[in-house]
Amino acid sequence: MLRLLSRAIVRQTCSSNGGRMPSVQPKKLKGRMFSVQAALPKYPVAPLEQTMKKYLKSLEPLLSEEEYRHTEKLCKEFQNGVGKTLQNKLLERAEKRDNWLSDWWRSVAYLGFREPVVINSNPGVLFPKADYNDIQGQLTYASRLIAGLLDYKVMIDEQTLPVEHLGKNPLCMMQYFQVLAACRIPLEKHDDWTCYPPDRPGAPKHITVIYNNNIFEVPVYGGDSKPLTTSQVRDQLSEVVKQGATAGEPIGLFTMEHRDNWANVYKKMIQDKTTKAALESVQRSIIVLCLDKSNNTMTDARTVSGHQMLHGRGSSYHTGNRWFDKTIQFIVGEDGYSGLNYEHTTAEGPPIIHLMDHCMKYISSGKDWSPATDVKPPTKLQFNLTQDVSDSLIHAKENADRMVSDLDLKVFVFDEFGKNFPKSQKVSPDSFIQNALQLAYYRHHKKTCGSYESASIRMFQLGRTETIRSCSTESLEFTRAMMDSNVSKQRKAELLRRAIDSHKQYTNDAISGKGIDRHLLGLKLTAAENNMEIPELFKDPAYTFSGSWRISTSQVPAKSESVLFFGPVVPDGYGFCYNPQEKCILFGVSSYKSNSVTLPAAKMAELIQDSLRDMRDVLAATMKANL
Ligand code: COA
Ligand code: HC5
C-alpha cells in the first residue's frame, strides 16, 4: 500500500498537466488577497517528543490499559530509534519546500484516493429556499447566481478579495485563487488535477451548463471581455433549455464511478477528438451549473434536496445531470431548492462558502452592470460514445444507484439556541457542539470512538487541514457522567466545562501547527518515500483504530442559513457537518443504511438535539446555583 503511494506521489509531482499548484504573481494591495501571503509562516514540523506525548494522550479514552501500555512501548522505541531518522528527513524536506505537506496531502487525501468522490469526498451544500416553483423562476434565479459569481470573480482576478482571518491571524489565500478554474481528471491509480488560474493566457471565460443530461459550453463574457448581465445570462440559459429539450446520455454518471473504472473509460473517450475537446471544455470552465428538474416531494423537502446536492438522488433523478470532478457545481432545481457540490482537491469549505455567501447577497441586491457586447451563444458539447463506453455507462448507473440507495441523510435546524448560549456561559461554541456530538454518540453506542474535526492550518503558507481528535479523556468522563443519574448537575457541568476546555486547547494547538495527525502521516510517508520498512508504530492496531473516524465532523460557518453535509468516512461511522448561527445551528447528519451498527441519520439527529438541550440545562442550572 505504502509503496503504491510513494509511486503515486512521484507520478503526481512529475505530472506534465496542472498536477502542481499554479504559481501566482501576487499583487500586494493593502489588506487584500495576497498582501501578506509571502509573510505567512511556513508549516512547521512539530518536535517528535511532543507528538508522541499527545498521541498517547489521545489514545487514553480509546484503549484498554494493556493496549495502551503496548502502544506506549512502541512510541518509546520509535522516538529513540527510527523516528529520529524520519524526523530529520522530514525536517530536510520542510527546509526545501514552501509546505512539506501540501503535495503529499493532495495526493494521499484526494488524487490517490480511488473510491468514488461522490458521498466519500465531495461535500454538498443546500442554500436557503428561494421563492419560485417553475422553470422561469429557476432560470431567473440561476442567472442571478451566475451574475453574483462573476461579480465575485472580479475580486479574484484583480486580487482584491479581503484576506480571510482566523481570530486575528491572516490565512493563506491560494485556494481562493483556484476555485473558479480547476477540475479533477481521472487517471489510473492516481488522478490528475488541472487549473487555469485567472492571470494566465487561456483563463476560462465560459461555464458548463448541464440540463436534461445535455452538456453545454456557455460563454459568460462578451467579445469585449465584459461579464454578461443577469438578463444576458438568462438569455443564454433559455437557449440551453431550448436546445436541450431531448434528454442526453447521462455521461455525468461516470464521474460517480470508482476512480479506476472512470479512468479506464476516460482513456477510451479521449481517443475521439470531438469527445476529447468536449471533456476539455468542461475541465477548462469556470464552474458547472446543473439545472435540475423538480423533486416533486412533499415530505422533508430539505432532506430530499440535501440528497440532491450530495449525490443527485440516483439515475432516475439528477445524478446524470452532474460533473462531480469539477471543483464547483452549482445546482439549481425547478422547485426553489438550490445548492452546490464541490470536489475537494482544490479547496476547503471556507473559500467555497465565502463565494456562496457573496452570491446569496448579490441575488437579493439590485446590482448589475452594463451589458457586454458580441456575446457568443451556447454550444451543445458533442460526445461520441463507442459501444464499449456505452456499455460501461450501464455499470456506472448500477453503481451510482447502489451508492445512492445506501446513504442516509438528515438535514435539520436546531433552533432552540445557537452560538449565543455557549457564549453566554463563557465557553467556546464549537467545543460545546463537539461535546454534544460525543454525547449523542455515547447515548446510543455506550462507548466512544475515533473522532475527527477539521481544523484549518491556513495560517501557514499553502496550509490545508489538521485533525482535532475531539474525543478525549475529559469528553469521555463528561459523557459517562451525563448518562449517570447519580451524578449531580453541578458535577456534570464541571465535567462539561473541563471537556470543553480540553477540546479548545486541542483546537488551539492544531491550528498553530502543534497537531499530531499530519506529523504522523509525514513520518510514515517519509519512510515510504525512502523505501524504509514501515515502523511498528504505524502497524499498531491502535494507530488504525484511533484513526478510523467513526465520528467525522466539520464546522463551516456561513453568513446565510445554508446547510452543509458529507458522507461518513467509514462504513460504521457518521458524518456531522454544522453551520452555527447566533440563534440556531444548521446540521447535516449522514450514516449508511446497510450498516447494522449505526443509527439512521434522523435518529442520530434526535440524539444530537437531546444532547444539546441536556447540556444547556446542566450549564443553565449551575449558573443559577452560582448566582
Ligand atoms: N466565551 C465567549 N465567547 C467565545 C468563547 C468563550 N470562552 N470562546 C469562543 N467564543 C466566541 C468566539 O469569539 C467566536 O465569536 P464570533 O461568533 O463573534 O466569531 C465564536 O465564539 C466562535 O468561536 P469557537 O466556537 O470557539 O470556534 P472557532 O470559530 O474558533 O472555530 C474551528 C473553531 C476549529 C472550527 C476553527 O478553528 C477552524 O479551524 N475552522 C476551519 C474549519 C474548516 O476549515 N472546515 C472545513 C474543512 S473543509
Ligand atoms: C461544505 C463544507 C463541508 C466541509 C468539508 C470538510 O470538512 O472536509 C474535511 C476536509 C479535511 O481535510 O478535514 C473532510 N471531512 C469531510 C471528512 C471532515
Side-chain angles (χ1 to χ4, degrees), residues 47-66:
L48 188 56
E49 309 74 57
Q50 175 183 299
T51 296
M52 290 297 106
K53 209 168 135 203
K54 289 185 172 198
Y55 173 53
L56 281 171
K57 183 161 168 33
S58 79
L59 297 178
E60 280 173 12
L62 296 169
L63 301 185
S64 69
E65 180 79 22
E66 196 186 329

Side-chain angles (χ1 to χ4, degrees), residues 271-284:
Q271 301 304 313
D272 180 271
K273 267 197 189 143
T274 308
T275 305
K276 185 166 186 259
L279 289 163
E280 281 172 0
S281 169
V282 178
Q283 291 157 7
R284 276 192 301 104

Side-chain angles (χ1 to χ4, degrees), residues 375-479:
V375 183
K376 299 248 168 359
T379 319
K380 188 165 159 192
L381 298 174
Q382 178 74 38
F383 295 87
N384 300 324
L385 306 189
T386 58
Q387 189 55 48
D388 197 13
V389 171
S390 292
D391 290 347
S392 302
L393 201 49
I394 298 167
H395 296 294
K397 180 171 171 289
E398 286 165 5
N399 291 341
D401 289 341
R402 195 174 322 114
M403 282 181 69
V404 163
S405 63
D406 194 26
L407 197 267
D408 195 12
L409 182 72
K410 179 70 187 173
V411 168
F412 69 99
V413 185
F414 176 76
D415 57 9
E416 294 171 36
F417 59 85
K419 287 192 280 184
N420 55 351
F421 175 72
K423 280 186 189 173
S424 74
Q425 298 291 316
K426 305 276 180 287
V427 296
S428 149
D430 185 65
S431 303
F432 182 90
I433 297 168
Q434 282 291 327
N435 276 288
L437 299 177
Q438 287 294 317
L439 179 55
Y441 185 92
Y442 190 88
R443 277 189 131 108
H444 178 70
H445 296 278
K446 309 282 182 268
K447 60 180 178 185
T448 187
C449 63
S451 308
Y452 179 112
E453 181 187 9
S454 307
S456 175
I457 43 172
R458 286 176 44 228
M459 261 156 59
F460 303 100
Q461 282 187 35
L462 303 182
R464 299 232 29 184
T465 59
E466 171 60 286
T467 309
I468 300 167
R469 293 191 168 209
S470 48
C471 153
S472 62
T473 304
E474 292 81 2
S475 69
L476 182 58
E477 237 188 305
F478 155 68
T479 51

Side-chain angles (χ1 to χ4, degrees), residues 412-619:
F412 69 99
V413 185
F414 176 76
D415 57 9
E416 294 171 36
F417 59 85
K419 287 192 280 184
N420 55 351
F421 175 72
K423 280 186 189 173
S424 74
Q425 298 291 316
K426 305 276 180 287
V427 296
S428 149
D430 185 65
S431 303
F432 182 90
I433 297 168
Q434 282 291 327
N435 276 288
L437 299 177
Q438 287 294 317
L439 179 55
Y441 185 92
Y442 190 88
R443 277 189 131 108
H444 178 70
H445 296 278
K446 309 282 182 268
K447 60 180 178 185
T448 187
C449 63
S451 308
Y452 179 112
E453 181 187 9
S454 307
S456 175
I457 43 172
R458 286 176 44 228
M459 261 156 59
F460 303 100
Q461 282 187 35
L462 303 182
R464 299 232 29 184
T465 59
E466 171 60 286
T467 309
I468 300 167
R469 293 191 168 209
S470 48
C471 153
S472 62
T473 304
E474 292 81 2
S475 69
L476 182 58
E477 237 188 305
F478 155 68
T479 51
R480 278 190 181 138
M482 285 299 277
M483 302 309 290
D484 184 345
S485 53
N486 294 320
V487 178
S488 70
K489 274 197 174 168
Q490 183 77 29
R491 179 71 183 144
K492 285 175 181 166
E494 270 169 33
L495 292 174
L496 171 54
R497 285 183 186 276
R498 204 182 290 169
I500 288 175
D501 286 349
S502 160
H503 180 271
K504 192 65 196 173
Q505 182 59 48
Y506 202 120
T507 301
N508 289 338
D509 283 352
I511 60 174
S512 54
K514 294 184 219 127
I516 59 171
D517 279 280
R518 302 301 177 265
H519 186 202
L520 289 171
L521 176 72
L523 294 165
K524 186 174 158 194
L525 293 175
T526 303
E529 208 170 66
N530 289 280
N531 290 320
M532 290 162 69
E533 181 73 24
I534 306 170
E536 288 304 314
L537 184 71
F538 301 117
K539 295 186 202 155
D540 180 16
Y543 181 69
T544 315
F545 177 71
S546 67
S548 297
W549 312 116
R550 291 180 171 84
I551 293 184
S552 169
T553 77
S554 191
Q555 183 205 138
V556 191
K559 288 209 172 76
S560 57
E561 293 203 350
S562 298
V563 202
L564 320 132
F565 28 81
F566 43 74
V569 294
V570 290
D572 53 349
Y574 299 96
F576 298 127
C577 196
Y578 50 97
N579 168 13
Q581 304 282 301
E582 222 35 51
K583 292 191 179 159
C584 67
I585 311 168
L586 299 105
F587 280 97
V589 173
S590 63
S591 64
Y592 289 113
K593 289 181 192 159
S594 59
N595 192 273
S596 57
V597 173
T598 47
L599 281 177
K603 283 257 177 299
M604 183 39 83
E606 279 170 26
L607 296 187
I608 293 172
Q609 306 197 58
D610 291 346
S611 300
L612 287 165
R613 282 185 203 112
D614 290 354
M615 286 164 63
R616 176 198 50 199
D617 290 350
V618 295
L619 284 189

Side-chain angles (χ1 to χ4, degrees), residues 217-238:
E217 174 172 317
V218 178
V220 287
Y221 289 82
D224 55 0
S225 294
K226 281 182 63 178
L228 305 195
T229 60
T230 305
S231 85
Q232 287 178 313
V233 176
R234 201 184 183 294
D235 289 346
Q236 297 285 66
L237 298 183
S238 297

